[in-house]
Amino acid sequence: MSGSQTNLRAAFMASPGPCNLREAVLLCLKGVCMGGADIIPGVSGGTIAFITGIYTQLVDAIRSVDALFVRRLLRLDFTGALAEVHLRFLACLLFGILAAVVSMAGVMNYMLNVHPVEIWSLFFGLIAASIFVVGKEINPLNAVNGVLILLGAAGCYFLVGMIPVSTPETLSFIFLCGAIAICAMILPGISGAFLLLMLGKYEYVTRTLKNPFLWDNFVILAVFAAGAVVGIVLFSRVLHYLLHRWHAATVSVLTGFMIGALRKVWPWKEVLESTVIRGKIHVLRTQNVLPDAFDGGVALALGLFVVGVLVVIVLERLSNRAN
């Protein structure tokens, strides 16, 4: 092995990330969970990152892709660039996220259309349990942080009740959608998929994911990805500053976001307004209702709610044991 290869390997191994195959596989599986959550309107990959204990690492890793990294890369200083970026962490996590997004987009669309009550019940349990997991990070839990929780909950509650809009399909707007949606990926309680729904581009993007290697779809996804990179690099710096400067206050607001998001994932809904786009019915506005009677369907929904809660408990314990 040449000296340059040795230096590159040393720089790669010196960056934060998994130290062995077991840790790499575990981090990749956490990425799969994040990716699966991110394609559900109303469920946040940031929530999964919080539950699995990698939230701060995620924000720091994204923040490591900075101007110094780009300058070293442009000067072909690959050793210096590798030493700067958290590549081992990002590579494992992103592999899991992308694998989940590409493979599960069609499945999630099917479940949301054919078994909506069941899938929303599962995710309602996931988010409800996650609120307590994330809320434990608030220290101290005082009156000020309590008010921030309420403000975060109110803001998210009204946000998820907004009506999706009709928007253009130009590449510049797709770029903007990528930048906005990716920011929500690292915000617990606010789903990037839901923001895409609000921007009128959820079906548009998930449809391209079903055939990503068609040239037109590839261009759309490339532009969307470019917007996502720009958005997350900029937003991660803001979030990193807030978490390190005002940790308890920031986590309080994030916990409130998750509480407000429960409005979106309530399983039983009554459609108030819908429209037909390309022969497919799109729901614009709903209101949450209670089930008409306790039957087998309600029992199944409650069972899936419990499953969601148990998944969060298991993930948290596995994460604590790994740490």
Side-chain angles (χ1 to χ4, degrees):
M1 185 179 291
S2 66
S4 61
Q5 289 176 321
T6 301
N7 290 337
L8 284 173
R9 176 178 173 79
F12 178 74
M13 295 305 297
S15 65
C19 299
N20 53 51
L21 180 60
R22 178 182 175 278
E23 291 182 4
V25 171
L26 181 59
L27 182 58
C28 183
L29 289 176
K30 292 178 180 180
V32 170
C33 293
M34 287 182 63
D38 275 318
I39 60 176
I40 301 296
V43 183
S44 168
T47 300
I48 303 299
F50 238 123
I51 296 168
T52 55
I54 60 171
Y55 191 78
T56 302
Q57 292 172 270
L58 173 63
V59 175
D60 289 344
I62 296 168
R63 184 174 173 270
S64 71
V65 184
D66 55 11
L68 178 59
F69 167 74
V70 174
R71 285 199 300 269
R72 287 178 174 176
L73 206 59
L74 292 175
R75 293 201 300 263
L76 304 183
D77 179 13
F78 299 120
T79 301
L82 278 177
E84 179 70 21
V85 73
H86 299 187
L87 184 60
R88 284 191 298 137
F89 179 89
L90 289 172
C92 291
L93 190 69
L94 288 175
F95 179 82
I97 291 173
L98 291 174
V101 168
V102 172
S103 63
M104 295 174 65
V107 175
M108 290 304 180
N109 272 332
Y110 171 81
M111 292 300 293
L112 287 170
N113 288 320
V114 180
H115 302 287
V117 172
E118 290 84 356
I119 197 70
W120 287 126
S121 297
L122 175 65
F123 282 102
F124 193 92
L126 284 171
I127 296 178
S130 302
I131 291 168
F132 292 97
V133 173
V134 176
K136 290 192 297 185
E137 298 287 324
I138 304 173
N139 186 24
L141 183 55
N142 52 29
V144 173
N145 291 331
V147 170
L148 291 174
I149 292 173
L150 293 176
L151 290 175
C156 190
Y157 180 86
F158 288 111
L159 175 64
V160 300
M162 294 174 63
I163 299 176
V165 297
S166 177
T167 52
E169 297 181 354
T170 61
L171 292 180
S172 59
F173 188 77
I174 297 302
F175 181 92
L176 178 63
C177 289
I180 293 173
I182 200 66
C183 294
M185 189 190 78
I186 55 175
L187 278 178
I190 297 183
S191 162
F194 176 72
L195 289 184
L196 279 181
L197 195 65
M198 295 298 306
L199 293 166
K201 288 293 169 284
Y202 178 73
E203 184 195 9
Y204 184 77
V205 173
T206 54
R207 187 171 67 244
T208 62
L209 285 170
K210 294 178 183 178
N211 295 288
F213 300 110
L214 293 178
W215 176 248
D216 288 345
N217 290 352
F218 178 80
V219 171
I220 292 169
L221 292 175
V223 171
F224 184 86
V229 169
V230 172
I232 202 166
V233 167
L234 294 177
F235 183 69
S236 66
R237 277 150 179 74
V238 176
L239 193 55
H240 177 272
Y241 173 79
L242 292 174
L243 283 171
H244 284 75
R245 181 67 179 83
W246 294 293
H247 184 270
T250 303
V251 175
S252 297
V253 175
L254 297 179
T255 302
F257 286 167
M258 295 170 66
I259 295 172
L262 290 176
R263 175 184 184 180
K264 177 62 181 177
V265 295
W266 178 254
W268 295 278
K269 302 178 185 297
E270 177 185 354
V271 176
L272 299 178
E273 186 178 352
S274 63
T275 186
V276 177
I277 301 177
R278 299 189 186 94
K280 186 175 180 180
I281 298 175
H282 290 256
V283 176
L284 298 180
R285 191 160 56 94
T286 63
Q287 70 176 7
N288 294 334
V289 297
L290 292 174
D292 295 331
F294 187 87
D295 53 18
V298 174
L300 176 60
L302 292 175
L304 289 169
F305 169 83
V306 173
V307 169
V309 172
L310 292 176
V311 167
V312 171
I313 293 173
V314 171
L315 286 174
E316 185 195 16
R317 290 186 176 178
L318 288 175
S319 178
N320 290 338
R321 186 178 301 173
N323 291 333

